[in-house]
Amino acid sequence: MEEDTGPKFTTSFLKKEVPKSDQAKELLNWCYVLAKYNEGTSGNLSFRTENGCIITGTGTDLGKATIYDLVEVTGFNEEKKEIQAKGIKEPSSEAFLHLKIYQKIGKINAVFHGHTLDIPNVPVTDKEYPYGTLELADSVADLAEKTNFLIAKNHGFFSLGRTMDDAGKQIINKIN
Ligand SMILES: [Zn+2]
């Protein structure tokens, strides 16, 4: 399941500029690492900020990501299906899924997602939902309350961590 077909929500840009954060470089480094472990170079990575999270933009090739691919997501209106963001690119179609996890689980500060499915002994969500839907976001966020590493059925894995290092190393351990 690819996410390159574009987001299923509208984005309201509060500011059309690259988000500033000291941690952006760390996120980009994990993008490059995961491009090697992940199946293909699609997926999305984020870390918590004061206002929401900074996440890779839609259709980002993780192996070639730059600062211009990063977007800060500061809010989501479920009724209007509208994301508030600061950045140049549209945020990943799973941006509000990431946001949901941060809102629900206070100790999680990094969420990394890729599309490798062949990982043994990992909890899997009960039902398959299309990417970018509220149902997918809810099913992942619910299971994420019980485990830091999970698979969204027939879609891909989500690795959650207190730090980016935790989320990233967890993937390397599970996939190797
Ligand atoms: Zn995905």
Side-chain angles (χ1 to χ4, degrees), residues 18-112:
V18 170
K20 288 180 191 84
S21 166
D22 295 341
Q23 288 173 289
K25 232 183 167 168
E26 195 183 344
L27 187 76
L28 289 172
N29 281 329
W30 278 113
C31 287
Y32 309 143
V33 173
L34 293 195
K36 290 184 194 142
Y37 284 87
N38 193 19
E39 215 156 278
T41 54
S42 71
N44 35 78
L45 288 74
S46 73
F47 62 90
R48 187 195 286 276
T49 60
E50 214 179 298
N51 306 310
C53 66
I54 288 182
I55 188 165
T56 46
T58 188
T60 299
D61 176 340
L62 295 183
K64 294 178 188 154
T66 72
I67 190 91
Y68 297 99
D69 292 306
L70 303 184
V71 189
E72 183 167 26
V73 171
T74 55
F76 180 62
N77 183 322
E78 286 201 17
E79 239 164 71
K80 289 196 206 161
K81 293 205 172 179
E82 185 187 83
I83 277 214
Q84 284 100 44
K86 283 180 197 164
I88 293 166
K89 266 184 114 170
E90 292 276 339
S92 155
S93 23
E94 308 294 9
F96 64 85
L97 190 162
H98 289 243
L99 211 53
K100 236 177 188 167
I101 291 173
Y102 293 124
Q103 285 168 351
K104 212 164 183 177
I105 313 170
K107 62 179 183 186
I108 296 303
N109 298 306
V111 176
F112 294 175

Side-chain angles (χ1 to χ4, degrees), residues 1 3 43-44 94 113-115 131 155-156 158:
M1 199 175 295
E3 274 136 42
N44 35 78
E94 308 294 9
H113 164 58
H115 294 120
Y131 81 89
H155 179 133
F158 286 86

Side-chain angles (χ1 to χ4, degrees), residues 108-175:
I108 296 303
N109 298 306
V111 176
F112 294 175
H113 164 58
H115 294 120
T116 304
L117 281 170
D118 187 18
I119 312 168
N121 303 320
V122 174
V124 182
T125 56
D126 293 334
K127 246 186 110 179
E128 181 182 349
Y129 294 106
Y131 81 89
T133 57
L134 292 171
E135 290 81 5
L136 175 66
D138 283 333
S139 69
V140 170
D142 286 348
L143 188 54
E145 283 189 304
K146 295 175 208 144
T147 174
N148 280 349
F149 196 97
L150 64 99
I151 285 179
K153 194 172 184 181
N154 296 333
H155 179 133
F157 66 83
F158 286 86
S159 181
L160 286 58
R162 276 178 198 279
T163 63
M164 286 191 252
D165 248 33
D166 286 349
K169 283 176 181 160
Q170 198 167 227
I171 295 170
I172 294 169
N173 289 337
K174 298 267 184 194
I175 292 186

